[in-house]
Amino acid sequence: MCIRDRNSKAHITDFAVYKNKIIASVEDGHLLVGDELSSLKPIKFFADSHNLLSKGNYLYITTADGLYVTQDLENFHVIEKGYFHGIEDLGELILAQVRSKRPLFLGKEYKWERLNLELPSPTFGVTAISKIDNENIVYSTSSLVEINLKKLEAKTLIKNLPMTRRVKVVDH
């Protein structure tokens, strides 16, 4: 079950360029598509959408109900159920984050797996992941953790943080 603030108005949460179209995700609204910002129009996909990732022929959408993928903006397939928020392109693979004690999913296209790594669960609205390189990420909620995805090794860098809303590696 997803808890949403019904008093807040629908708002754009992310933008992506997919197949030469501008895509906007909307919290509690329809996905918006257009040739430019002024021409964005709703399509049939309705969700509490958070983040978008355009990669090759695929558009990935993280929502409060799951991780979705489309190849044509008409057919949307749920890859995994859950409250998904963050998504990162790691080159060969993609990393997505769900609200859970085992929050990380790794995959591409329609093949994904949950990583067997227990971490502090993110709360609603938290983008807890950021790419360092194609094998390493930082994960930050109530602690800051560096994770090697290939070896599944996690090293806590800082403990007892207030809940981190968004983490982003900008220089490494």
Side-chain angles (χ1 to χ4, degrees):
M1 183 171 136
C2 178
I3 300 171
R4 299 180 186 116
D5 181 1
R6 296 292 177 196
N7 296 321
S8 68
K9 294 181 180 181
H11 60 277
I12 292 174
T13 55
D14 200 9
F15 288 100
V17 175
Y18 174 68
K19 295 188 176 181
N20 297 317
K21 298 283 186 188
I22 296 173
I23 313 295
S25 57
V26 177
E27 188 163 321
D28 277 334
H30 291 273
L31 210 59
L32 304 174
V33 178
D35 291 324
E36 52 191 44
L37 288 176
S38 62
S39 70
L40 291 175
K41 301 245 186 282
I43 62 172
K44 72 176 184 176
F45 186 82
F46 183 95
D48 180 2
S49 299
H50 301 134
N51 288 292
L52 303 169
L53 178 66
S54 174
K55 185 166 176 79
N57 289 322
Y58 299 92
L59 177 68
Y60 300 91
I61 308 157
T62 62
T63 77
D65 299 319
L67 174 60
Y68 289 82
V69 65
T70 183
Q71 289 182 282
D72 58 13
L73 296 175
E74 292 182 19
N75 299 295
F76 296 85
H77 305 279
V78 65
I79 295 170
E80 295 287 341
K81 290 283 198 181
Y83 186 93
F84 279 83
H85 212 280
I87 190 162
E88 282 282 308
D89 184 352
L90 300 177
E92 180 79 18
L93 297 171
I94 298 167
L95 181 72
Q97 158 241 314
V98 67
R99 193 167 172 256
S100 168
K101 288 187 179 192
R102 291 185 347 185
L104 302 178
F105 279 83
L106 197 59
K108 64 180 179 178
E109 299 166 1
Y110 299 95
K111 296 177 184 175
W112 290 72
E113 69 175 288
R114 181 180 286 234
L115 299 183
N116 191 20
L117 199 58
E118 280 202 27
L119 297 162
S121 180
T123 60
F124 294 106
V126 170
T127 300
I129 55 177
S130 184
K131 171 184 173 176
I132 296 173
D133 56 38
N134 291 349
E135 289 183 14
N136 298 283
I137 65 154
V138 291
Y139 176 87
S140 186
T141 56
S142 57
S143 59
L144 179 64
V145 181
E146 185 174 339
I147 300 168
N148 180 292
L149 297 169
K150 196 172 198 176
K151 298 176 185 175
L152 273 186
E153 293 177 350
K155 180 171 104 178
T156 301
L157 303 175
I158 303 172
K159 293 181 180 182
N160 302 320
L161 291 171
M163 184 55 64
T164 305
R165 301 297 288 175
R166 179 176 295 270
V167 63
K168 191 70 176 168
V169 174
V170 292
D171 188 34
H172 56 278

